[in-house]
Amino acid sequence: MAERHAIVTGATRGIGWAIARRLADDGMRVTLLGRDISKLIARASEIGADFQAVDLTDGDAVAAAFNEIGPAAILINNAGIAESAPFLKSEDALFQRMFEVNVLGAVRCTRAVLPMMVKLGWGRVINIASTAGLQGFSYVSAYAASKHALVGITRSLALEVASRGVTVNAICPGYVATEMTETTIERIVAKTGRTRDEAIAELAAANPGGRLIQPEEVAASVAALCGDDAASITGQAIEVGQA
């Protein structure tokens, strides 16, 4: 594990930061990817990681960043965005934003690292999707569609590289205690008049365990998939949400 290099996108906060910390604790060399250079510098210094500032919606910039980073055996496609709107108010631009980051961002990063993984005969691609990629939710049709697409790519690519020593899996968390969920809570309070506690309870009730998931729980699932014992686990969409 100490000789393996892991790249984590969207790595400066929330789930991505928890994953980066866990993999660094497991002895991996970690490279953090994000858009905010000041946050990247601060986070990288905390765990002794490398970093690259890159906008995943820019294909040329992604290719240049990965060329600078060099080969990696593990890629965690965590970067993502979420917006909500009724379907009839979800314009093309909203769907395009969701797919540009949540789907094409992951595609571009995977395309950059996959050839070396195949050459090495060992690799792990782990896509952070969502339970919204497995079922529908009201008012997030564009987000759910993008996460369904990410799960579909996961399953299809896994079949292509299964015989080459590379596994491709998706982690599908429910509501996690992150900044993104905090934004959702604030939106519920503003639009419905519910209290903050009531909004949190509503989201927590959607998780099987009846509580918000901690980012470290998602990171633990990622770490397990990175190990040699997970060599036969591929093409899976693993839900994280139990108590």
Side-chain angles (χ1 to χ4, degrees), residues 82-104:
E83 296 181 46
S84 64
F87 177 77
L88 291 179
K89 294 185 179 180
S90 299
E91 300 179 349
D92 287 0
L94 173 57
F95 278 86
Q96 288 166 350
R97 285 196 299 275
M98 294 299 102
F99 273 76
E100 190 65 40
V101 177
N102 297 348
V103 182
L104 290 176

Side-chain angles (χ1 to χ4, degrees), residues 110-170:
T110 304
R111 188 186 292 132
V113 299
L114 191 60
M116 182 56 68
M117 291 181 181
V118 170
K119 182 177 180 181
L120 293 172
W122 197 98
R124 300 285 188 267
V125 177
I126 302 172
N127 297 317
I128 306 303
S130 166
T131 50
L134 303 173
Q135 63 188 74
F137 288 99
S138 301
Y139 305 111
V140 289
S141 55
Y143 174 76
S146 71
K147 293 299 186 178
H148 272 75
L150 187 58
V151 170
I153 291 169
T154 298
R155 290 169 170 160
S156 297
L157 180 57
L159 294 174
E160 288 189 34
V161 297
S163 65
R164 312 299 292 275
V166 179
T167 66
V168 186
N169 290 288

Side-chain angles (χ1 to χ4, degrees), residues 24-39:
D25 287 344
D26 285 348
M28 295 185 192
R29 173 192 166 198
V30 178
T31 297
L32 314 179
L33 263 63
R35 291 181 296 180
D36 189 321
I37 185 66
S38 61
K39 288 183 179 179

Side-chain angles (χ1 to χ4, degrees), residues 5 92 109 129 231:
H5 177 197
D92 287 0
C109 294

Side-chain angles (χ1 to χ4, degrees), residues 7-13 16-17 20 30-41 43-44 50-58 61-62 65-66 69 75-76 78-80 101 109:
I7 298 172
V8 183
T9 72
T12 61
R13 64 178 192 163
W17 174 231
V30 178
T31 297
L32 314 179
L33 263 63
R35 291 181 296 180
D36 189 321
I37 185 66
S38 61
K39 288 183 179 179
L40 284 168
I41 293 171
R43 292 303 200 190
D50 299 319
F51 65 89
Q52 279 284 331
V54 62
D55 181 353
L56 299 185
T57 68
D58 184 336
V62 171
F66 275 82
I69 292 168
L75 171 66
I76 315 300
N78 167 74
V101 177
C109 294

